[in-house]
Amino acid sequence: MPVALDQAYERREQDAWGEFYRAFAKQGPRADMQATTQGFYVATAAGELLLYNNNRDPEKLLRLLREARERFASSEAARAEIAPRPRGERDPRYAPQPPEGGLVLRVRAQVLGGYPEPKEEHQRAVQRSIGRDNLWLTRAEREELTRGEFPASALERLARFHLVDNTRGEPPMWTKEEVRTLRAGIRNGVIEGRFELATEKDASEARRYRGELRGHLEVRDGVVTRCDLVALGGFRGEGRYTRGAPPGEFPFAVAFALADGTAVADAIPPQGSRGWVEGYLRPR
Amino acid sequence: MRHLALAILPALALAPSVRAQEADPLRLDEKRFATLHAQLCAASPETWESVPWRIDLLAAQGEAAAAKKLLFVWAMDGHPLACT
């Protein structure tokens, strides 16, 4: 049964989800729940850990998975009756839901050039990778959009938490002070704008992203039916967990589209909301 | 001759700016918007997207228990399906 999760939530959650995750994760080499426990786990429904691995080689992982499955099939555990674990109340700090009456937009980002020739296959994959996230809009912001106006609060959230290079890992977000220029307007359904986001030049992780916004908004009978947007500009720099950016300024794009709820990933909270949803929805 | 010059001059004056726009890879006109939006938002699914991932660990535990199957958990810093 394949499960994908952000372990920064589960290892901290004080509820049945967190208890079950910690029950099998602590049997592995990353047993300290105050630090990252990321990796691949294979566990029984009873919570017995059969495999932990954090290897990038798909062939190696596949071989280990097959071995774990064979060990399981020949064990008593494969025939044991296991009850579903009681769910109970979810720890609200780690189960944020999209704002009621709001909108979810899928976010996709890509470095469009500037990388040196890749030396191996993993590097090639990283260079072509598309970063993913979700943008949450509040009910009030959706209502503003239906009136043909781009909400200032949504624009700021979009810039600070989503005009980021998340193609190589968890990116640093922008502070309010780092938003140097930000404007967008809607005319006849066409969204146009400009932005410049920049840290101080001597910051330890000096970054800058500046460019244009363009998109289309369609509203039918008071319902937002299309909200397609692209940010395109030059990006410079990287973060602590996004090392390996192209040297100098490189072309970088972020695209947005309405999520229709058909993808399981549509339900995942924005990366920028982790740990502080209020700070994401109402940035200071 | 004068007519020819009048006809050519505006074209000459326009030409460099047109070329500059065409050459600027960061210019976001309607055509570029459509290309990029399709490239990023309508990209062909990656192989890992074909896996029927669950995001509710306890729901998956219940499914695994009922089917007598194992759990395969992809746990990352940042959600694997939305911060990849």
PDB file of all heavy atoms in Angstrom, chain B residues 28-45:
ATOM      1  N   LEU B  28       7.618  37.876 -21.609  1.00  0.00           N
ATOM      2  CA  LEU B  28       6.427  37.045 -21.383  1.00  0.00           C
ATOM      3  C   LEU B  28       5.252  37.587 -22.195  1.00  0.00           C
ATOM      4  O   LEU B  28       4.360  38.236 -21.660  1.00  0.00           O
ATOM      5  CB  LEU B  28       6.105  37.008 -19.883  1.00  0.00           C
ATOM      6  CG  LEU B  28       5.015  36.034 -19.429  1.00  0.00           C
ATOM      7  CD1 LEU B  28       5.298  34.602 -19.857  1.00  0.00           C
ATOM      8  CD2 LEU B  28       4.869  36.098 -17.900  1.00  0.00           C
ATOM      9  N   ASP B  29       5.252  37.310 -23.475  1.00  0.00           N
ATOM     10  CA  ASP B  29       4.103  37.692 -24.293  1.00  0.00           C
ATOM     11  C   ASP B  29       3.090  36.540 -24.273  1.00  0.00           C
ATOM     12  O   ASP B  29       3.292  35.511 -23.607  1.00  0.00           O
ATOM     13  CB  ASP B  29       4.527  38.062 -25.721  1.00  0.00           C
ATOM     14  CG  ASP B  29       5.262  36.919 -26.401  1.00  0.00           C
ATOM     15  OD1 ASP B  29       5.210  35.773 -25.913  1.00  0.00           O
ATOM     16  OD2 ASP B  29       5.925  37.178 -27.430  1.00  0.00           O
ATOM     17  N   GLU B  30       2.004  36.693 -25.015  1.00  0.00           N
ATOM     18  CA  GLU B  30       0.929  35.701 -24.958  1.00  0.00           C
ATOM     19  C   GLU B  30       1.390  34.324 -25.438  1.00  0.00           C
ATOM     20  O   GLU B  30       1.029  33.296 -24.863  1.00  0.00           O
ATOM     21  CB  GLU B  30      -0.263  36.203 -25.785  1.00  0.00           C
ATOM     22  CG  GLU B  30      -1.495  35.341 -25.684  1.00  0.00           C
ATOM     23  CD  GLU B  30      -2.015  35.160 -24.256  1.00  0.00           C
ATOM     24  OE1 GLU B  30      -1.800  36.044 -23.407  1.00  0.00           O
ATOM     25  OE2 GLU B  30      -2.628  34.108 -23.984  1.00  0.00           O
ATOM     26  N   LYS B  31       2.216  34.339 -26.477  1.00  0.00           N
ATOM     27  CA  LYS B  31       2.685  33.061 -27.032  1.00  0.00           C
ATOM     28  C   LYS B  31       3.563  32.322 -26.010  1.00  0.00           C
ATOM     29  O   LYS B  31       3.422  31.117 -25.796  1.00  0.00           O
ATOM     30  CB  LYS B  31       3.467  33.335 -28.322  1.00  0.00           C
ATOM     31  CG  LYS B  31       3.856  32.101 -29.075  1.00  0.00           C
ATOM     32  CD  LYS B  31       4.596  32.472 -30.351  1.00  0.00           C
ATOM     33  CE  LYS B  31       5.151  31.223 -31.026  1.00  0.00           C
ATOM     34  NZ  LYS B  31       6.039  31.579 -32.142  1.00  0.00           N
ATOM     35  N   ARG B  32       4.454  33.087 -25.382  1.00  0.00           N
ATOM     36  CA  ARG B  32       5.362  32.493 -24.391  1.00  0.00           C
ATOM     37  C   ARG B  32       4.570  31.995 -23.178  1.00  0.00           C
ATOM     38  O   ARG B  32       4.862  30.940 -22.608  1.00  0.00           O
ATOM     39  CB  ARG B  32       6.390  33.550 -23.960  1.00  0.00           C
ATOM     40  CG  ARG B  32       7.481  33.035 -23.056  1.00  0.00           C
ATOM     41  CD  ARG B  32       8.595  32.427 -23.848  1.00  0.00           C
ATOM     42  NE  ARG B  32       9.790  32.272 -23.027  1.00  0.00           N
ATOM     43  CZ  ARG B  32      10.399  31.120 -22.824  1.00  0.00           C
ATOM     44  NH1 ARG B  32       9.946  30.029 -23.388  1.00  0.00           N
ATOM     45  NH2 ARG B  32      11.479  31.054 -22.091  1.00  0.00           N
ATOM     46  N   PHE B  33       3.574  32.790 -22.780  1.00  0.00           N
ATOM     47  CA  PHE B  33       2.714  32.370 -21.665  1.00  0.00           C
ATOM     48  C   PHE B  33       2.073  31.009 -21.967  1.00  0.00           C
ATOM     49  O   PHE B  33       2.105  30.099 -21.134  1.00  0.00           O
ATOM     50  CB  PHE B  33       1.614  33.421 -21.418  1.00  0.00           C
ATOM     51  CG  PHE B  33       0.426  32.862 -20.688  1.00  0.00           C
ATOM     52  CD1 PHE B  33       0.461  32.681 -19.312  1.00  0.00           C
ATOM     53  CD2 PHE B  33      -0.717  32.482 -21.387  1.00  0.00           C
ATOM     54  CE1 PHE B  33      -0.628  32.126 -18.649  1.00  0.00           C
ATOM     55  CE2 PHE B  33      -1.806  31.933 -20.730  1.00  0.00           C
ATOM     56  CZ  PHE B  33      -1.757  31.759 -19.354  1.00  0.00           C
ATOM     57  N   ALA B  34       1.484  30.893 -23.155  1.00  0.00           N
ATOM     58  CA  ALA B  34       0.777  29.648 -23.508  1.00  0.00           C
ATOM     59  C   ALA B  34       1.740  28.462 -23.534  1.00  0.00           C
ATOM     60  O   ALA B  34       1.417  27.370 -23.036  1.00  0.00           O
ATOM     61  CB  ALA B  34       0.097  29.822 -24.856  1.00  0.00           C
ATOM     62  N   THR B  35       2.932  28.692 -24.090  1.00  0.00           N
ATOM     63  CA  THR B  35       3.921  27.615 -24.176  1.00  0.00           C
ATOM     64  C   THR B  35       4.360  27.160 -22.784  1.00  0.00           C
ATOM     65  O   THR B  35       4.393  25.964 -22.477  1.00  0.00           O
ATOM     66  CB  THR B  35       5.151  28.090 -24.977  1.00  0.00           C
ATOM     67  OG1 THR B  35       4.713  28.517 -26.257  1.00  0.00           O
ATOM     68  CG2 THR B  35       6.189  26.989 -25.120  1.00  0.00           C
ATOM     69  N   LEU B  36       4.688  28.140 -21.945  1.00  0.00           N
ATOM     70  CA  LEU B  36       5.184  27.799 -20.606  1.00  0.00           C
ATOM     71  C   LEU B  36       4.096  27.166 -19.747  1.00  0.00           C
ATOM     72  O   LEU B  36       4.354  26.212 -19.005  1.00  0.00           O
ATOM     73  CB  LEU B  36       5.721  29.059 -19.916  1.00  0.00           C
ATOM     74  CG  LEU B  36       7.109  29.507 -20.343  1.00  0.00           C
ATOM     75  CD1 LEU B  36       7.450  30.847 -19.714  1.00  0.00           C
ATOM     76  CD2 LEU B  36       8.157  28.470 -19.960  1.00  0.00           C
ATOM     77  N   HIS B  37       2.883  27.694 -19.857  1.00  0.00           N
ATOM     78  CA  HIS B  37       1.811  27.140 -19.025  1.00  0.00           C
ATOM     79  C   HIS B  37       1.549  25.680 -19.389  1.00  0.00           C
ATOM     80  O   HIS B  37       1.371  24.825 -18.509  1.00  0.00           O
ATOM     81  CB  HIS B  37       0.535  27.975 -19.172  1.00  0.00           C
ATOM     82  CG  HIS B  37      -0.426  27.757 -18.057  1.00  0.00           C
ATOM     83  ND1 HIS B  37      -1.409  26.798 -18.103  1.00  0.00           N
ATOM     84  CD2 HIS B  37      -0.524  28.333 -16.827  1.00  0.00           C
ATOM     85  CE1 HIS B  37      -2.077  26.823 -16.969  1.00  0.00           C
ATOM     86  NE2 HIS B  37      -1.568  27.735 -16.173  1.00  0.00           N
ATOM     87  N   ALA B  38       1.570  25.401 -20.678  1.00  0.00           N
ATOM     88  CA  ALA B  38       1.373  24.012 -21.122  1.00  0.00           C
ATOM     89  C   ALA B  38       2.552  23.141 -20.683  1.00  0.00           C
ATOM     90  O   ALA B  38       2.381  22.009 -20.221  1.00  0.00           O
ATOM     91  CB  ALA B  38       1.205  23.971 -22.632  1.00  0.00           C
ATOM     92  N   GLN B  39       3.756  23.679 -20.819  1.00  0.00           N
ATOM     93  CA  GLN B  39       4.978  22.925 -20.475  1.00  0.00           C
ATOM     94  C   GLN B  39       4.990  22.530 -18.999  1.00  0.00           C
ATOM     95  O   GLN B  39       5.385  21.420 -18.639  1.00  0.00           O
ATOM     96  CB  GLN B  39       6.195  23.786 -20.802  1.00  0.00           C
ATOM     97  CG  GLN B  39       7.540  23.174 -20.472  1.00  0.00           C
ATOM     98  CD  GLN B  39       8.680  24.127 -20.838  1.00  0.00           C
ATOM     99  OE1 GLN B  39       8.605  24.848 -21.843  1.00  0.00           O
ATOM    100  NE2 GLN B  39       9.718  24.160 -20.028  1.00  0.00           N
ATOM    101  N   LEU B  40       4.540  23.434 -18.142  1.00  0.00           N
ATOM    102  CA  LEU B  40       4.622  23.175 -16.704  1.00  0.00           C
ATOM    103  C   LEU B  40       3.358  22.513 -16.149  1.00  0.00           C
ATOM    104  O   LEU B  40       3.450  21.623 -15.295  1.00  0.00           O
ATOM    105  CB  LEU B  40       4.900  24.479 -15.940  1.00  0.00           C
ATOM    106  CG  LEU B  40       6.375  24.820 -15.770  1.00  0.00           C
ATOM    107  CD1 LEU B  40       7.031  25.158 -17.087  1.00  0.00           C
ATOM    108  CD2 LEU B  40       6.564  25.944 -14.776  1.00  0.00           C
ATOM    109  N   CYS B  41       2.204  22.965 -16.604  1.00  0.00           N
ATOM    110  CA  CYS B  41       0.951  22.490 -15.989  1.00  0.00           C
ATOM    111  C   CYS B  41       0.328  21.303 -16.711  1.00  0.00           C
ATOM    112  O   CYS B  41      -0.523  20.627 -16.151  1.00  0.00           O
ATOM    113  CB  CYS B  41      -0.060  23.629 -15.903  1.00  0.00           C
ATOM    114  SG  CYS B  41       0.430  24.891 -14.725  1.00  0.00           S
ATOM    115  N   ALA B  42       0.705  21.089 -17.955  1.00  0.00           N
ATOM    116  CA  ALA B  42       0.125  19.965 -18.690  1.00  0.00           C
ATOM    117  C   ALA B  42       1.208  18.996 -19.142  1.00  0.00           C
ATOM    118  O   ALA B  42       1.069  18.320 -20.154  1.00  0.00           O
ATOM    119  CB  ALA B  42      -0.664  20.480 -19.891  1.00  0.00           C
ATOM    120  N   ALA B  43       2.285  18.967 -18.358  1.00  0.00           N
ATOM    121  CA  ALA B  43       3.389  18.062 -18.703  1.00  0.00           C
ATOM    122  C   ALA B  43       2.926  16.613 -18.582  1.00  0.00           C
ATOM    123  O   ALA B  43       2.042  16.299 -17.782  1.00  0.00           O
ATOM    124  CB  ALA B  43       4.566  18.309 -17.767  1.00  0.00           C
ATOM    125  N   SER B  44       3.506  15.742 -19.388  1.00  0.00           N
ATOM    126  CA  SER B  44       3.168  14.318 -19.301  1.00  0.00           C
ATOM    127  C   SER B  44       3.485  13.802 -17.903  1.00  0.00           C
ATOM    128  O   SER B  44       4.521  14.156 -17.334  1.00  0.00           O
ATOM    129  CB  SER B  44       3.987  13.522 -20.318  1.00  0.00           C
ATOM    130  OG  SER B  44       3.726  14.004 -21.598  1.00  0.00           O
ATOM    131  N   PRO B  45       2.614  12.974 -17.344  1.00  0.00           N
ATOM    132  CA  PRO B  45       2.866  12.468 -15.993  1.00  0.00           C
ATOM    133  C   PRO B  45       4.183  11.683 -15.924  1.00  0.00           C
ATOM    134  O   PRO B  45       4.523  10.956 -16.853  1.00  0.00           O
ATOM    135  CB  PRO B  45       1.676  11.541 -15.735  1.00  0.00           C
ATOM    136  CG  PRO B  45       0.636  11.932 -16.718  1.00  0.00           C
ATOM    137  CD  PRO B  45       1.368  12.463 -17.912  1.00  0.00           C
TER     138      PRO B  45
END
